[in-house]
Amino acid sequence: MKGFIEVYDQRTQFLKDIFLSHGYQINDKQAQNLDFYVVKNQKIDHDNTFSLNNINTKYIINKDKVFKHLNNTLTAMGLYLKIIQDKERYNNILILGYGDLAKQLANILKSNYDITICNRNNKDLDEIKQIYHHLDLNALSGKYDLIINTIPVCKINYKKLKYKQIYDLAQTVEGKDYQSLRNIPNMYFPYESALLMFQYIHGVMRHV
């Protein structure tokens, strides 16, 4: 089976190597009549096109529930490593959101840090209050050493918050002491994330 993989970071380089090690033929240049294509932002007129988030491809890997959950695990683990490696000491951490990623992240951090959860609705409110402190998104205020945002496409007012650092896993905006970290798996676990991508693509291609 022949394919093309657009190599644009360390993860996709590993992805190419994994495909080659499993007997696939991977073209270095894009060509017509290949069995599949893995791209970043390109639009290709072919059924078997894959990407992480490109809406122009038939298969958007990050929409697969199994991949997303496991990749969220890598994200949570990677951010934990970054936090403990930071020169700044954090005690109080505010996590914005309580989806799968935020839940995994809070679970990892709760043993060593004082965690407050701020979500957009009352879903899981009882669970949150049993384990963590809770803050309403519409009443953001208080002092925290670190704020971690996991909520995409949401205007967040940080003005009434006092903090040392914001790590954003879902958006990219400008702000004081703000850092967008939307690609943690590629930073800390590129091989493992590439392996998850391979398992998804390989599974699809076995049935086409």
Side-chain angles (χ1 to χ4, degrees):
M1 193 172 288
K2 297 181 180 180
F4 167 77
I5 297 174
E6 181 184 359
V7 176
Y8 55 87
D9 57 16
Q10 191 176 9
R11 172 169 49 188
T12 46
Q13 180 60 62
F14 277 129
L15 180 63
K16 182 179 179 180
D17 295 341
I18 293 169
F19 268 100
L20 290 170
S21 70
H22 281 77
Y24 285 81
Q25 296 182 45
I26 304 299
N27 279 25
D28 289 331
K29 294 184 179 180
Q30 188 176 310
Q32 294 183 344
N33 301 320
L34 297 178
D35 297 303
F36 67 95
Y37 302 81
V38 183
V39 296
K40 185 179 182 181
N41 295 318
Q42 295 185 49
K43 184 176 182 179
I44 298 176
D45 188 19
H46 192 282
D47 284 341
N48 298 325
T49 55
F50 298 84
S51 73
L52 279 170
N53 295 296
N54 183 356
I55 61 172
N56 293 314
T57 55
K58 181 177 180 180
Y59 298 101
I60 301 175
I61 302 171
N62 208 33
K63 286 190 174 182
D64 179 74
K65 291 182 179 179
V66 174
F67 172 85
K68 191 169 185 177
H69 174 72
L70 295 175
N71 208 54
N72 281 342
T73 301
L74 297 180
T75 300
M77 292 171 60
L79 188 61
Y80 176 71
L81 290 175
K82 178 170 178 55
I83 290 171
I84 63 176
Q85 290 167 1
D86 279 355
K87 293 180 180 179
E88 187 68 64
R89 284 194 171 187
Y90 304 122
N91 293 308
N92 301 309
I93 297 179
L94 172 64
I95 298 177
L96 304 178
Y98 200 61
D100 179 61
L101 172 56
K103 287 180 181 181
Q104 293 195 56
L105 186 58
N107 189 53
I108 290 174
L109 295 173
K110 68 182 181 182
S111 297
N112 298 312
Y113 303 94
D114 190 36
I115 303 297
T116 299
I117 301 292
C118 176
N119 59 338
R120 289 190 283 187
N121 51 52
N122 291 324
K123 184 181 178 182
D124 300 317
L125 188 58
D126 291 339
E127 176 184 313
I128 292 170
K129 288 184 175 181
Q130 286 178 7
I131 308 172
Y132 312 105
H133 306 297
H134 178 262
L135 182 65
D136 192 286
L137 186 63
N138 296 317
L140 278 179
S141 63
K143 184 177 180 180
Y144 301 91
D145 297 321
L146 175 64
I147 299 172
I148 303 169
N149 178 44
T150 68
I151 306 174
V153 196
C154 179
K155 188 174 182 179
I156 299 169
N157 185 2
Y158 294 106
K159 292 182 179 179
K160 292 184 179 181
L161 291 165
K162 293 183 179 180
Y163 55 88
K164 296 177 182 178
Q165 180 69 52
I166 297 174
Y167 287 147
D168 201 322
L169 304 178
Q171 302 188 74
T172 301
V173 300
E174 294 183 0
K176 182 182 177 183
D177 300 315
Y178 174 98
Q179 188 173 357
S180 177
L181 296 171
R182 298 184 65 183
N183 206 0
I184 288 285
N186 184 58
M187 294 169 61
Y188 287 90
F189 301 105
Y191 178 81
E192 291 80 2
S193 187
L195 188 59
L196 294 179
M197 292 176 68
F198 168 78
Q199 291 169 345
Y200 173 81
I201 299 167
H202 176 65
V204 171
M205 293 308 299
R206 286 176 58 191
H207 297 95
V208 295

